[in-house]
Amino acid sequence: MTRFRTALVPLAATILGLTALPSQATAAPPKPVPTVSAERSAAPLGAAAACAPSVKGASIDARLTSLFTAYGNDNSRLDDWTGADGTYSLRLPGGRELWIFSDTFLGRINSDGSRPPVVEEGGTTVFLNNSFAVENGGRLSTIHAGTPDKPVAVMPPRDEKHWYWAGDATLAGGVVEVTYQEYERYGTGAWDWRWHRNVVARFAPGRLDRPLSVHDLPSGHGVAWASATLKDGGYTYVYGVEDLGSPKYMHVARVKGQSLLGAWEYLKADGSWSADESDSARVMSGVANEYSVTKVGDGYVLITHDTTEALSANIVAYSSCSPVGPFTGKQHVYTTPETGGNIFTYNAHAHPEVSGKGLVVSYNVNSFVNTDHYRDSSIYRPRFIDVSFG
């Protein structure tokens, strides 16, 4: 099994709800996982209505969608981005936009829109498990480690049995902090892989091809941090997912200040905070592995693919008066037109710092058939929509 196929197996499994168990060290918490009580989940109707934004509509963000389409098809460099998933973003000092990707194709696109096979299958396309792109003045450039002839991931794995997928990122004192989840393969079977741990890599904004340092994040109780982050009220909120395939549960932590290297505390079932990760409560189910929580007006909006439905094409929103929920009032945002046959969409989340005609939301497109990515390079690229609120 090639490295490309190895990565796509867990990706497809995650979307299907067949995710492998975490490593033995984190497979089972030492006590029952707390769940937010029904009493706390039931927000007062009057309070919720006062601050809960309602979705007015959504439309394709033509600028961003065409920007990545044109860049992916541009063969001016042969070690640059032609497609990826993940699609997190962060505004850098000076106004540049950092786009953060997980599984990434680099190389040439043929005149008919096809892509050569990956190097491991005898072609010329390079496949990495993570990369960056920087947008500056409406132009994109790819960042990877290694050399143009031998690119490697900006967050390289420790060995061939491990890899990193990116989570959300934040800026702390001028330093870029990008979260990653490390996965590991422990056998030769298709399902012999598991989530292993969370880390944060710190990068200098002017030197993004290698981390300044890498630090462990809390990883002791099966929660993949950070599906999303939000700075609000002097805290950086960190949102995670406890992925049991189906369902997937939202968890919330916070750190005082801007850096994720501070002391973490975790939202408990009664709404208080604890320094013990084992007290982290299941806030709600139905979130995807990647989602977002964004301040909109006086309220907060959670954007996610709807994982209450198998292989859903629907992006939905929930609202709250607090950055920690309860998130209620499920609203339909958008139905992804690409979904169908071998093609699936997943992991919608917002980019509040990116300019658009509303709240910019991205989602990923993929295929269960690996050769589709060679036949049609346009499949494996992010799409963008603008969401407006009433």
Side-chain angles (χ1 to χ4, degrees):
M1 181 177 289
T2 68
R3 183 177 167 200
F4 167 52
R5 293 181 188 274
T6 297
L8 266 289
V9 165
L11 173 58
T14 297
I15 305 306
L16 281 167
L18 299 175
T19 307
L21 289 174
S23 60
Q24 290 300 313
T26 60
K31 58 183 178 180
V33 177
T35 301
V36 171
S37 65
E39 290 78 7
R40 183 176 177 270
S41 297
L45 292 178
C51 61
S54 59
V55 175
K56 183 178 180 181
S59 59
I60 294 173
D61 188 308
R63 183 190 76 83
L64 285 167
T65 299
S66 62
L67 175 68
F68 280 93
T69 297
Y71 183 63
N73 293 336
D74 180 5
N75 287 325
S76 60
R77 281 178 51 183
L78 298 183
D79 65 327
D80 63 353
W81 187 99
T82 66
D85 73 349
T87 322
Y88 284 101
S89 64
L90 179 69
R91 181 64 53 85
L92 297 174
R96 296 179 301 155
E97 193 73 28
L98 177 64
W99 293 96
I100 301 160
F101 294 104
S102 291
D103 289 344
T104 305
F105 288 119
L106 306 178
R108 177 185 296 277
I109 297 299
N110 299 322
S111 59
D112 62 357
S114 63
R115 171 188 287 116
V118 295
V119 172
E120 291 84 352
E121 296 179 358
T124 59
T125 297
V126 172
F127 180 76
L128 306 177
N129 289 123
N130 55 78
S131 69
F132 294 149
V134 172
E135 181 185 355
N136 189 12
R139 298 177 63 87
L140 290 167
S141 58
T142 300
I143 296 177
H144 57 70
T147 66
D149 292 333
K150 292 185 177 181
V152 297
V154 292
M155 184 64 173
R158 65 173 91 175
D159 54 43
E160 293 183 354
K161 294 183 179 180
H162 293 81
W163 66 91
Y164 289 104
W165 283 337
D168 205 357
T170 187
L171 197 66
V175 176
V176 175
E177 295 187 349
V178 183
T179 62
Y180 290 93
Q181 294 87 48
E182 185 181 46
Y183 285 79
E184 64 180 2
R185 177 165 288 282
Y186 60 88
T188 58
W191 309 110
D192 293 345
W193 59 273
R194 57 197 171 194
W195 171 85
H196 180 55
R197 62 171 179 155
N198 307 302
V199 301
V200 60
R202 307 185 84 227
F203 295 85
R207 185 65 183 272
L208 292 164
D209 62 340
R210 67 187 67 172
L212 296 169
S213 58
V214 178
H215 306 263
D216 288 337
L217 290 180
S219 303
H221 293 275
V223 178
W225 308 99
S227 300
T229 61
L230 171 68
K231 291 180 179 178
D232 188 75
Y235 288 92
T236 298
Y237 290 89
V238 187
Y239 303 89
V241 61
E242 180 192 353
D243 185 355
L244 303 181
S246 180
K248 302 174 192 284
Y249 292 102
M250 175 185 185
H251 286 249
V252 183
R254 68 180 185 181
V255 184
K256 193 171 183 63
Q258 297 184 333
S259 176
L260 299 180
L261 299 184
W264 285 43
E265 52 184 4
Y266 306 90
L267 184 67
K268 297 175 62 177
D270 63 3
S272 63
W273 296 91
S274 170
D276 185 347
E277 189 186 7
S278 68
D279 289 331
S280 180
R282 293 170 173 170
V283 176
M284 62 178 287
S285 63
V287 295
N289 292 80
E290 298 175 10
Y291 57 92
S292 61
V293 176
T294 306
K295 184 77 178 289
V296 176
D298 294 328
Y300 299 83
V301 175
L302 188 161
I303 299 282
T304 182
H305 252 82
D306 188 355
T307 62
T308 66
E309 306 169 345
L311 295 175
S312 178
N314 293 316
I315 299 171
V316 295
Y318 299 84
S319 297
S320 177
C321 298
S322 163
V324 301
F327 292 94
T328 59
K330 182 178 179 180
Q331 303 174 74
H332 177 265
V333 174
Y334 188 73
T335 300
T336 57
E338 298 84 2
T339 302
N342 298 327
I343 307 302
F344 60 94
T345 57
Y346 55 106
N347 285 348
H349 51 75
H351 304 264
E353 83 288 0
V354 177
S355 178
K357 296 180 181 179
L359 178 63
V360 173
V361 171
S362 67
Y363 63 92
N364 299 317
V365 184
N366 210 324
S367 175
F368 289 112
V369 179
N370 291 336
T371 54
D372 282 351
H373 300 296
Y374 304 153
R375 175 184 56 81
D376 183 359
S377 62
S378 70
I379 295 173
Y380 195 61
R381 290 172 181 168
R383 302 332 192 245
F384 298 87
I385 58 175
D386 294 311
V387 181
S388 58
F389 296 89

